[in-house]
Amino acid sequence: MPSASSTSVVSPPGQPCRPEAMRIWYTRCPLPTASSIAIERGMLDDEFRADGIVVQSLNASSDMAVREAHYNHGQTNLFRQGGNIPPIWSRSRGADTVVVATNWIDEYQAIVALPSSGIQNAADLRGKRLGMPRRLNEQIDYWRAMCLRGYLAALEIAGLEPNDVEFVDLPIDEKQIPTGGASQRGTLWRGANRARRQSREALALIRGEIDAIYTAGAPGAQLSSFMGASTVVDLGAHADSGSRVNNQVPTVLTVDGELARSAPETVARYLAALMQAARWAHEHEAETLGIVGGDVGATPEWVTAAYGAEVHDRLALELDERSIAAVAAQKAFLLGNGFIDKDFDAGAWIDPRPLELARGMDHERRLG
């Protein structure tokens, strides 16, 4: 792993060694994030260019060990904004990371079934077969965890227990992060892989091998419409926010712990650039929907259908009590259901100081 500090590189004979530029890595999930806006608009490049700091996506590397840092956070100087399951998993395995911000955007989440199944509500799930994808070649099967959490929330709404239904394993060989390394800024999530995320479940549903599936986000809304599926439980619209908590609600922004300790101002500057991006999104609705759509793989129509008509106003960085409690609840769910083996103090994992510093920095810039 490269060092977080600058190192010397060989210079021509007779010239002093010059330090190698610091390199910041980033990655984001295919979700609405301030990171997507800042990356697409070049705001991170602008923030650090004068200091000679290189900012680039994990997608710039063809090394799968670097690319899969999206899951294990194993790359030095990495910022990651996205779903909360992989960072909780990596932290439980000893990854030196810090949560510096969260963001809560309610999204389309539902248990769906084909109309021919006769399943109309959560109570009708009793005795039914629920599809459970199992990715055989992933470090952390976050989608399986998402599905289970969605199913358990739906069963609880109906007063049912897990043993009232049958969970049907659906093995999947394909990895979600493809090989690559073609883009300095680009996302890891390519169209074909993204589109196939639930193909195994959808085909099993159509073939009658299962009775219902969990789905979420813009891809999920599109998939449900494509299949003509009926909504059995609309989790995304449930009044209890606890029922809406899953991998993508809330998202978390994590950073390499060593970078946070040794260069807090650098971390704050990164966050300040995301704050700028969130403000830009507020003032540029159409452009924001286009950028988000590019990341999630959907047209603006489906972006607003899945994440709300005001999604462009909801990208601000937060670290509120609801989100902090949700992260702790998600950790408890993952531990209780065998997705992580080791417990850790979720409260100690969250550090509000970088966001506080960034807010002060952002305020001064806006005044000046």
Side-chain angles (χ1 to χ4, degrees):
M1 181 182 299
S3 171
S5 60
S6 297
T7 58
S8 295
V9 296
V10 177
S11 296
Q15 296 184 20
C17 288
R18 52 186 172 82
E20 182 182 359
M22 178 181 181
R23 189 175 303 274
I24 290 175
W25 295 86
Y26 60 72
T27 182
R28 78 280 196 190
C29 289
L31 298 167
T33 63
S35 293
S36 294
I37 307 302
I39 292 164
E40 181 64 25
R41 298 292 302 171
M43 295 174 181
L44 293 172
D45 295 325
D46 292 344
E47 177 64 41
F48 294 106
R49 183 180 294 110
D51 300 302
I53 297 175
V54 178
V55 186
Q56 66 181 32
S57 168
L58 291 181
N59 193 50
S61 176
S62 59
D63 184 346
M64 283 302 294
V66 173
R67 297 168 71 79
E68 293 212 352
H70 181 84
Y71 291 144
N72 60 38
H73 226 293
Q75 182 62 35
T76 298
N77 294 351
L78 176 64
F79 289 81
R80 180 193 187 279
Q81 187 173 22
N84 55 61
I85 290 176
I88 292 173
W89 169 80
S90 64
R91 178 63 172 177
S92 76
R93 299 174 74 246
D96 182 10
T97 59
V98 177
V99 175
V100 293
T102 61
N103 177 253
W104 189 299
I105 297 177
D106 284 310
E107 66 173 0
Y108 171 82
Q109 292 187 72
I111 310 300
V112 303
L114 296 180
S116 58
S117 69
I119 304 173
Q120 298 182 358
N121 53 49
D124 292 337
L125 292 174
R126 184 187 295 273
K128 301 303 182 183
R129 300 164 299 171
L130 309 184
M132 280 289 288
R134 181 184 292 278
R135 285 181 164 77
L136 305 176
N137 297 302
E138 296 289 8
Q139 297 184 65
I140 170 63
D141 196 348
Y142 74 88
W143 186 257
R144 183 178 176 86
M146 282 182 68
C147 292
L148 181 59
R149 175 129 203 192
Y151 290 142
L152 295 184
L155 295 176
E156 184 177 0
I157 290 169
L160 298 177
E161 298 292 333
N163 58 11
D164 289 323
V165 299
E166 178 186 357
F167 294 108
V168 178
D169 264 11
L170 302 171
I172 302 168
D173 288 319
E174 183 179 32
K175 294 173 71 70
Q176 294 211 53
I177 296 179
T179 57
S183 172
Q184 187 83 358
R185 292 185 181 176
T187 176
L188 290 167
W189 314 101
R190 294 182 181 170
N193 296 72
R194 187 173 50 203
R196 288 194 298 269
R197 181 172 73 173
Q198 287 199 270
S199 61
R200 180 70 175 88
E201 295 134 274
L203 290 172
L205 189 65
I206 293 168
R207 291 167 180 159
E209 299 167 2
I210 56 176
D211 300 305
I213 65 172
Y214 166 86
T215 193
Q222 291 173 302
L223 178 64
S224 297
S225 179
F226 173 76
M227 294 191 299
S230 301
T231 299
V232 177
V233 184
D234 187 349
L235 294 168
H238 198 274
D240 177 15
S241 63
S243 296
R244 305 195 302 271
V245 171
N246 210 311
N247 178 54
Q248 298 171 178
V249 182
T251 58
V252 298
L253 177 58
T254 47
V255 63
D256 174 15
E258 174 58 28
L259 182 64
R261 292 187 295 272
S262 64
E265 184 173 330
T266 298
V267 175
R269 290 173 62 189
Y270 190 103
L271 299 185
L274 299 195
M275 292 176 184
Q276 178 189 358
R279 283 197 304 277
W280 183 92
H282 169 73
E283 298 170 355
H284 300 83
E285 177 180 357
E287 295 95 327
T288 296
L289 294 181
I291 294 170
V292 171
D295 263 8
V296 305
T299 63
E301 174 188 4
W302 286 108
V303 170
T304 55
Y307 307 107
E310 298 179 352
V311 63
H312 64 290
D313 281 332
R314 296 178 176 170
L315 301 179
L317 300 183
E318 305 158 346
L319 208 51
D320 58 295
E321 292 183 3
R322 179 177 68 163
S323 294
I324 292 172
V327 170
Q330 184 74 298
K331 184 211 69 171
F333 162 78
L334 295 172
L335 183 64
N337 288 279
F339 290 100
I340 62 175
D341 298 323
K342 296 181 180 179
D343 199 1
F344 64 92
D345 186 343
W349 186 36
I350 297 168
D351 187 352
R353 292 172 296 181
L355 187 58
E356 292 171 0
L357 182 59
R359 284 171 172 163
M361 187 180 294
D362 182 63
H363 179 70
E364 290 181 3
R365 291 178 177 182
R366 295 173 71 184
L367 289 178

